[in-house]
Amino acid sequence: RKEVEQDPGPFNVPEGATVAFNCTYSNSASQSFFWYRQDCRKEPKLLMSVYSSGNEDGRFTAQLNRASQYISLLIRDSKLSDSATYLCVVNMGSGGNNRLAFGKGNQVVVIP
Amino acid sequence: EAGVTQFPSHSVIEKGQTVTLRCDPISGHDNLYWYRRVMGKEIKFLLHFVKESKQDESGMPNNRFLAERTGGTYSTLKVQPAELEDSGVYFCASSQDRVRDEQFFGPGTRLTVL
């Protein structure tokens, strides 16, 4: 079983619409969760950390469900500039280790 | 503040040759990581340095890969001899602390082995 599972898409989203996607992770002991954004041929950049209580940053909302081991991301009022790949990332580290496990990413294309 | 830098940005080599990738982390970041993305797959962890020590090298694929971080500053990743399946994008990342701190990624080195 993969450490982080994501449905890669693509997700074709009309401008102004809402899009949501999620991922599942295998390690129930994981403590830290993130969404990274990756533009074409660029490096991943942190979009937001994900907390158990859920967190919001402008048009972006992230949720964590520990019982079901899934993480979600919702983008409201999509902009053309939101077109990118969104990577679900879980810190698999323990005992001083700190490795990140990545999903394949959700490719989002916002259409005018 | 300068971000993580990697050199070269691209490298094309023939099977059997040697390639050395370099990563300069953000100044002051003790933690340095190497990751790799091969075509069609997710980004995968290779190893983690804390200063000059290897904290976790569980992701290194085989003994053709050698990573060093002498002096605890920049790091090199050498592939010798390179094989076709080593082609991919090699990312370096650094962080100040461990578990909850953001890992900042470099632009990556795109390696093509012919």
Side-chain angles (χ1 to χ4, degrees), chain B:
Chain B
E1 180 183 291
V4 178
T5 58
Q6 292 186 244
F7 182 83
S9 57
H10 293 79
S11 180
V12 181
I13 61 172
E14 293 191 350
K15 177 182 169 181
Q17 289 186 320
T18 297
V19 64
T20 301
L21 314 181
R22 173 173 169 141
C23 168
D24 286 79
I26 292 172
S27 178
H29 282 191
D30 288 340
N31 294 277
L32 186 149
Y33 313 84
W34 284 98
Y35 293 87
R36 175 175 76 168
R37 184 172 207 159
V38 298
M39 192 181 301
K41 303 280 189 181
E42 62 274 17
I43 296 171
K44 282 201 179 272
F45 169 82
L46 295 178
L47 89 160
H48 169 202
F49 283 101
V50 179
K51 297 185 181 178
E52 68 276 7
S53 299
K54 290 176 186 173
Q55 175 71 26
D56 179 3
E57 51 184 329
S58 61
M60 294 288 264
N62 52 60
N63 60 10
R64 295 185 294 104
F65 289 74
L66 175 64
E68 293 181 323
R69 193 183 181 195
T70 307
T73 53
Y74 71 91
S75 174
T76 58
L77 179 65
K78 181 160 70 173
V79 185
Q80 178 182 32
E83 298 288 345
L84 299 179
E85 64 265 24
D86 301 332
S87 296
V89 182
Y90 290 76
F91 290 106
C92 175
S94 72
S95 71
Q96 194 158 25
D97 206 312
R98 295 185 186 180
V99 178
R100 293 199 178 272
D101 271 17
E102 175 183 356
Q103 292 186 22
F104 295 85
F105 282 76
T109 293
R110 186 170 297 273
L111 174 64
T112 302
V113 183
L114 302 176

Side-chain angles (χ1 to χ4, degrees), chain A residues 3 90-94 97-101, chain B residues 33 35 45 48 56 58 103:
Chain A
E3 292 178 314
V90 177
N91 190 314
M92 307 295 280
S94 64
N97 296 339
N98 198 25
R99 68 178 183 88
L100 299 180
Chain B
Y33 313 84
Y35 293 87
F45 169 82
H48 169 202
D56 179 3
S58 61
Q103 292 186 22

Side-chain angles (χ1 to χ4, degrees), chain A residues 41-93:
Chain A
R41 291 183 169 261
K42 298 285 189 180
E43 70 272 24
K45 291 187 178 179
L46 181 67
L47 177 68
M48 57 200 303
S49 301
V50 188
Y51 305 114
S52 295
S53 54
N55 48 303
E56 191 173 305
D57 183 2
R59 298 180 292 106
F60 297 82
T61 301
Q63 294 275 357
L64 167 64
N65 185 318
R66 285 189 185 271
S68 302
Q69 292 179 216
Y70 81 77
I71 306 155
S72 65
L73 179 67
L74 182 144
I75 307 174
R76 288 184 300 278
D77 187 23
S78 298
K79 311 289 184 192
L80 296 177
S81 57
D82 294 334
S83 297
T85 296
Y86 292 85
L87 302 167
C88 179
V89 182
V90 177
N91 190 314
M92 307 295 280

